Amino acid sequence: MTATTTALDALDRLESEAIHIFREVAGEFDRPVILFSGGKDSTLLLHLAVKAFWPAPVPFPLLHVDTGHNFDEVIEFRDRVVARHGLRLEVAEVQDYIDDGRLAERPDGTRNPLQTVPLLDAITTHRFDAVFGGGRRDEERARAKERIFSLRNSFGQWEPRRQRPELWNLYNGRHRPGEHVRVFPLSNWTELDVWHYIAREGIELPSIYYAHRREVYLRDGMWLAEGPWGGPRDGEVKVEKTVRYRTVGDGSCTGAVESDAADIATVIAEVAASRLTERGATRADDRMSEAAMEDRKREGYF
Amino acid sequence: MSDLLRLATAGSVDDGKSTLVGRLLYDTKSVLADTLDAVHRASADRGLATPDLSLLVDGLRSEREQGITIDVAYRYFATPNRSFVLADTPGHVQYTRNTVTGASTAQLGVLLVDARKGVIEQTRRHAAVLALLGVPRLVLAVNKIDLVGYDEVTFARIAKEFTAHATALGYAEEAVVEIPVSALAGDNVVERSARTPWYSGPTLLEHLETVPVEPDPHDAPFRFPVQYVIRPRTPEHPDYRGYAGQVAAGTVRVGDEVAVLPGGLRTTVTGIDTADGPLEEAAAGRSVTLLLAHDVDVSRGDLIAAAAAPPTVTDEFDATVCWLSEKPLTPGARVLVKHGTRTVQAIVTELRTRFDEQKLASTDAPAALALNEIGQIGVRTAEAIPVDDYTRNRRTGSFLIIDVADGSTLAAGLVGAPLPELDGVDSCTGGGNSAPSTDDHALVSPGP
């Protein structure tokens, strides 16, 4: 098939920019890795990586920082996608850190903030020097300040006041031993761009992104599902509802939204009409303080 | 018409830039309910009667504490007509480097002034930086028009002064638009104001939705920095060797004769590959993989260019730099130059001029360039590199200067671009009488 050449539309430009970023990293770094959780952003990231190096395989391994609080559908999807592309997946388990006492379970039960230490340990152990993440600047105010190539010091910390200017599309990946660079190829995408692109490319996602029946209980205004993270607690009542997930993170702090959107077209319509951000709607960890994301990023979180 | 516009804001501290951006997001309904709730809560916590829209964009803890913007942030909003990527840049003098960051990719610059103060030195400096970086179009938002009683004469005076300054920088008059706004009250940002009946032009958003976007230079000579060599060595593709990159300028077609620089080898393009299938041609902005007729030695850092119109291959060139580091630049400095996909060792042989921000004129042979200063330098590189003049090609005419020791980005470099010839512009009373620059010393050609 010979594709026709037409002017690039907005999605073409975003795709081209992301491919350019992947190739820059492949050209300049020794040991890159892609953070991959099986969620929609990291699935999109992997799809773009495959395109960037076609017909050669993606020249990086994948890393999943596993909180242990997973949705079965997502883990099944993760392993299937990794196998399909013939890639290597490293898994850093938060559970291991809790079991041997290096990390303690938090009183609120959420494990999202606990990912930072296993992530930084994995980066050190494997000597990864570039770490791709699916973060987007439209997600959150602190993320809007993030560079596409974001230098982290030897403690993995983000220093927003000392960021490098990012000029034209000349990315400076220089770093000293012990430092690494976080790379965000989806920086300029919005949630709607992601969904439009998923529709255009026919990208498969974990089934829980689409409406399904599920038993859930209400906690702090969010519909949580039963799982290894506990619940329902006293006074919390399970009810069966038709729901879907807008993000899939740690099950203890990722809520479902009531929705009948069972396919991509209806999901796009729903996202376009939503008056809530995906994080505001379903992520408890961002509600903790006015600067929750910035504080976690300063510690080394994504 | 392109469906995407990249814009950068610039303005002095307290001109209300964050409020303007917040207003744009708010009035285009690009702010969702939970984000807005957070702003209402934070405003109430600070004892404010109305929500402080600047809190929508000042995302860092210290920015919110100090009520200022410290670092460039990128915002996304869309209307049914167009999508926007907005680089929201700080106004503090010490953060001019962020203006440079935002301007390097912008197709339009939005400058803010306070209607009570008019065009000030910082406005001139920001306009000069935007012009230097080749931002094709400017908008001057004359903000806080409510605080001068929606006075037409005040607006007209500021608009005239700014137009004169911008044309002196090389802008055509139709590339510059002034709009009276109140970001706080919402006048002429998204909603047309009844309080400026004398103003018949577009609101800021209407202008952003309809302003022509300069297309990628499709008819410019073809330029393709090689990023990565794709060699699968798989059973399906045992002999595949493709050169991956993004078309930086012009268009490439199968059958085109190209030169591989800096070596100078000539060959023919036999294929243009993408994961979605082969193309017959690829234009600026597209990431592709090129297949070449000869099994030539091509690697990352090389530039594939139109054989008929190659760039200059040289190890000595003049450039304008915006110095972005606290460590000053002195003649003889050993640095790295990142140009396209190639990083080479280099020496800054000479500091020729420094742009004096007070006088808005150039002084000769400075001893050093300090943080945020702009000057013209001579560069000698360890290997020859293929360069275009920045005024002809923003992509192959730009480079970074990088610190050898710690890897930090020291400067934004523009090949060949001369400094602004602003000596005729009076920095106190405006440049109403100065003639536009002639081609000989025009700062840039901002767009066709």
Side-chain angles (χ1 to χ4, degrees):
Chain A
M1 184 197 81
T2 297
T4 53
T5 302
T6 50
L8 302 184
D9 67 17
L11 285 183
D12 294 331
R13 284 177 186 281
L14 291 169
E15 177 192 75
S16 177
E17 178 183 65
I19 287 173
H20 178 256
I21 292 162
F22 271 113
R23 290 165 168 178
E24 280 301 283
V25 170
E28 297 236 316
F29 290 84
D30 294 325
R31 299 176 69 83
V33 67
I34 301 175
L35 282 192
F36 184 72
S37 65
K40 72 176 186 314
D41 295 312
S42 58
T43 299
L44 180 57
L45 209 54
L46 183 57
H47 180 87
L48 290 160
V50 169
K51 281 194 160 190
F53 300 102
W54 180 93
V58 175
F60 323 120
L62 307 175
L63 171 65
H64 182 205
V65 182
D66 184 347
T67 65
H69 287 170
N70 297 298
F71 296 93
D72 294 341
E73 298 90 333
V74 178
I75 294 299
E76 180 274 326
F77 173 82
R78 177 196 78 182
D79 293 340
R80 192 153 46 79
V81 169
V82 169
R84 187 203 305 155
H85 293 297
L87 296 170
R88 181 160 64 86
L89 174 73
E90 305 283 350
V91 181
E93 307 271 8
V94 171
Q95 189 65 54
D96 293 347
Y97 283 72
I98 292 173
D99 289 348
D100 65 17
R102 282 175 291 171
L103 287 174
E105 199 88 74
R106 294 161 50 99
D108 61 7
T110 180
R111 286 183 173 181
N112 244 17
L114 302 185
Q115 292 179 87
T116 300
V117 171
L119 168 65
L120 295 178
D121 280 354
I123 290 170
T124 305
T125 305
H126 295 281
R127 290 182 290 116
F128 292 131
D129 54 2
V131 183
F132 287 101
R136 306 190 318 268
R137 290 175 180 147
D138 84 321
E139 283 178 86
E140 210 275 337
R141 275 189 312 251
R143 283 223 161 126
K145 300 273 174 184
E146 185 67 88
R147 299 289 192 266
I148 290 173
F149 272 41
S150 183
L151 184 69
R152 301 301 164 107
N153 67 18
S154 54
F155 293 91
Q157 292 169 316
W158 185 54
E159 297 176 88
R161 274 173 183 271
R162 302 200 56 81
Q163 298 194 86
R164 289 175 179 165
E166 205 146 81
L167 301 150
W168 299 288
N169 63 350
L170 294 169
Y171 302 110
N172 177 3
R174 297 252 153 189
H175 58 283
R176 288 179 285 194
E179 296 175 337
H180 70 277
V181 175
R182 303 275 171 95
V183 184
F184 301 101
L186 305 184
S187 284
N188 288 324
W189 298 57
T190 64
E191 185 186 12
L192 258 185
D193 291 329
V194 166
W195 277 106
H196 281 299
Y197 189 75
I198 286 167
R200 181 177 105 171
E201 302 282 307
I203 298 169
E204 187 197 351
L205 292 183
S207 57
I208 65 171
Y209 277 105
Y210 303 103
H212 55 286
R213 297 292 286 175
R214 184 181 286 269
E215 282 196 317
V216 289
Y217 57 92
L218 197 61
R219 178 181 295 171
D220 298 335
M222 288 197 314
W223 292 110
L224 295 185
E226 215 171 345
W229 48 88
R233 297 184 198 138
D234 292 346
E236 294 170 338
V237 182
K238 268 198 295 188
V239 283
E240 194 180 283
K241 286 191 167 293
T242 303
V243 297
R244 70 174 201 89
Y245 286 84
R246 277 176 80 176
T247 67
V248 299
D250 183 74
S252 64
C253 62
T254 302
V257 291
E258 290 187 72
S259 169
D260 294 318
D263 58 26
I264 294 180
T266 49
V267 167
I268 288 175
E270 184 184 284
V271 170
S274 172
R275 297 298 300 142
L276 292 179
T277 64
E278 58 187 296
R279 291 196 159 262
T282 62
R283 292 293 274 270
D285 48 331
D286 289 338
R287 297 178 175 182
M288 290 173 193
S289 87
E290 241 188 85
M293 176 69 87
E294 177 184 353
D295 293 345
R296 275 182 289 144
K297 283 163 66 73
R298 282 175 182 275
E299 290 166 11
Y301 184 80
F302 254 84
Chain B
M1 188 169 84
S2 169
D3 58 355
L4 178 73
L5 178 73
R6 301 185 68 107
L7 60 151
T9 61
S12 307
V13 183
D14 292 332
D15 280 348
K17 213 155 24 61
S18 295
T19 308
L20 181 73
V21 174
R23 172 64 65 184
L24 263 178
L25 299 175
Y26 182 79
D27 282 1
T28 54
K29 305 193 169 39
S30 308
V31 183
L32 298 178
D34 52 321
T35 308
L36 204 57
D37 285 348
V39 168
H40 280 287
R41 268 200 313 276
S43 302
D45 289 349
R46 286 164 167 76
L48 303 172
T50 53
D52 178 356
L53 293 180
S54 72
L55 294 176
L56 284 173
V57 294
D58 286 340
L60 299 175
R61 193 181 274 285
S62 46
E63 290 178 327
R64 297 160 77 83
E65 283 164 5
Q66 298 176 50
I68 59 164
T69 308
I70 288 168
D71 197 1
V72 63
Y74 293 87
R75 310 286 163 193
Y76 306 86
F77 63 101
T79 67
N81 301 315
R82 196 172 256 182
S83 299
F84 302 92
V85 178
L86 184 152
D88 181 18
T89 70
H92 271 94
V93 174
Q94 65 265 40
Y95 302 119
T96 297
R97 65 182 196 169
N98 289 316
T99 306
V100 174
T101 297
S104 70
T105 52
Q107 296 156 318
L108 177 136
V110 179
L111 286 132
L112 257 87
V113 296
D114 183 328
R116 296 168 300 177
K117 299 178 191 159
V119 174
I120 59 172
E121 189 190 312
Q122 181 81 325
T123 319
R124 296 159 173 282
R125 185 179 304 145
H126 280 146
V129 170
L130 295 175
L132 180 72
L133 286 156
V135 177
R137 286 169 188 275
L138 299 183
V139 174
L140 185 75
V142 181
N143 191 27
K144 306 191 185 182
I145 196 75
D146 50 323
L147 299 184
V148 296
Y150 298 96
D151 179 37
E152 179 178 8
V153 175
T154 304
F155 172 74
R157 178 176 51 76
I158 295 169
K160 184 176 173 218
E161 186 179 345
F162 185 73
T163 300
H165 180 61
T167 49
L169 291 167
Y171 285 96
E173 274 195 36
E174 62 269 21
V176 183
V177 168
E178 294 87 6
I179 303 172
V181 304
S182 168
L184 200 62
D187 297 290
N188 294 329
V189 178
V190 172
E191 307 292 339
R192 188 166 287 278
S193 175
R195 291 175 285 207
T196 53
W198 42 266
Y199 175 72
S200 58
T203 65
L204 177 60
L205 184 67
E206 283 166 2
H207 182 62
L208 298 180
E209 284 185 305
T210 54
V211 65
V213 174
E214 265 59 50
D216 289 322
H218 288 190
D219 50 359
F222 171 62
R223 301 285 184 263
F224 187 85
V226 175
Q227 289 186 277
Y228 192 77
V229 181
I230 295 189
R231 292 217 60 187
R233 297 189 178 93
T234 53
E236 303 85 49
H237 299 279
D239 301 319
Y240 189 98
R241 180 199 284 265
Y243 305 101
Q246 190 176 42
V247 180
T251 302
V252 63
R253 292 176 190 80
V254 175
D256 279 358
E257 198 191 352
V258 292
V260 180
L261 303 169
L265 258 159
R266 288 182 173 226
T267 182
T268 307
V269 174
T270 54
I272 304 170
D273 266 351
T274 74
D276 296 309
L279 301 172
E280 274 303 310
E281 62 172 48
R286 197 180 274 274
S287 286
V288 296
T289 299
L290 297 186
L291 307 177
L292 301 178
H294 300 89
D295 209 7
V296 290
D297 176 21
V298 182
S299 56
R300 176 174 171 83
D302 287 338
L303 181 86
I304 300 176
T312 308
V313 178
T314 178
D315 61 3
E316 279 194 87
F317 56 92
D318 290 343
T320 297
V321 292
C322 303
W323 196 251
L324 307 173
S325 169
E326 276 138 22
K327 200 186 305 181
L329 171 66
T330 51
R334 288 178 179 276
V335 295
L336 296 170
V337 161
K338 180 166 189 181
H339 172 262
T341 52
R342 180 175 290 244
T343 303
V344 297
Q345 295 196 35
I347 293 177
V348 176
T349 53
E350 199 181 345
L351 303 190
R352 299 197 207 288
T353 60
R354 184 177 70 82
F355 177 56
D356 186 320
E357 294 184 343
Q358 303 300 320
K359 296 178 185 150
L360 290 165
S362 293
T363 56
D364 284 339
L369 280 187
L371 176 65
N372 291 318
E373 289 189 329
I374 294 171
Q376 205 173 15
I377 64 170
V379 180
R380 185 154 56 84
T381 51
E383 312 155 42
I385 56 174
V387 294
D388 285 304
D389 200 287
Y390 186 82
T391 56
R392 292 185 183 281
N393 192 324
R394 237 166 141 177
R395 288 282 297 274
T396 47
S398 56
F399 63 93
L400 304 182
I401 294 182
I402 293 173
D403 190 288
V404 178
D406 68 9
S408 60
T409 299
L410 299 173
L414 292 71
V415 176
L419 282 169
E421 288 290 338
L422 290 171
D423 306 79
V425 181
D426 185 320
S427 64
C428 298
T429 57
N433 298 323
S434 69
S437 306
T438 66
D439 284 345
D440 288 344
H441 57 201
L443 175 58
V444 287
S445 325

